[in-house]
């Protein structure tokens, strides 16, 4: 059954998801360590979690940019027609 086969995901997407998991785990471990009274270790774990954010799904590179507004607002007439000399 072709519908039941899982689609292979790209390596970049899998790494991004693993980085997100590591980011969340580091922040949670940092919070638990801070609550237990180990300030330095908790702060370092929180810092490690925040350093991983750009490589996660929350990073800037992960966002897909919409099409430029200039492309969407372009008239359907060819560019040569706009610049034709008036007779």
């Amino acid at each position: 059954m072709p519908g039941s086969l899982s689609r292979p995901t790209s390596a970049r997407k899998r790494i991004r998801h693993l980085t997100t998991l590591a980011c969340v785990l580091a922040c949670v471990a940092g919070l638990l360590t801070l609550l237990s009274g180990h300030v330095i270790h908790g702060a370092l774990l929180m810092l490690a979690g925040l350093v991983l954010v750009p490589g996660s799904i929350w990073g800037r590179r992960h966002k897909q940019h919409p099409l430029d507004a200039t492309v969407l607002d372009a008239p359907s007439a060819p560019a040569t027609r706009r610049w034709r000399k008036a007779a």
Side-chain angles (χ1 to χ4, degrees):
M1 292 175 24
S4 64
L5 296 175
S6 63
R7 282 190 229 159
T9 57
S10 67
R12 183 175 293 165
K13 190 172 184 179
R14 286 186 299 226
I15 289 174
R16 215 172 260 292
H17 285 287
L18 287 174
T19 306
T20 304
L21 179 67
C23 176
V24 169
L25 288 176
C27 287
V28 168
L31 283 174
L32 291 175
T33 307
L34 281 173
L35 291 175
S36 68
H38 300 281
V39 179
I40 300 289
H41 292 102
L44 286 174
L45 278 168
M46 292 293 291
L47 181 64
L50 292 176
V51 166
L52 290 174
V53 168
S56 69
I57 60 171
W58 300 303
R60 219 184 304 179
R61 290 187 211 162
H62 179 68
K63 308 283 188 248
Q64 292 183 358
H65 299 288
L67 294 175
D68 288 334
T70 57
V71 173
L72 295 177
D73 294 336
S76 60
T80 56
R81 191 169 169 189
R82 285 186 283 164
W83 296 101
R84 190 171 36 175
K85 292 182 180 180

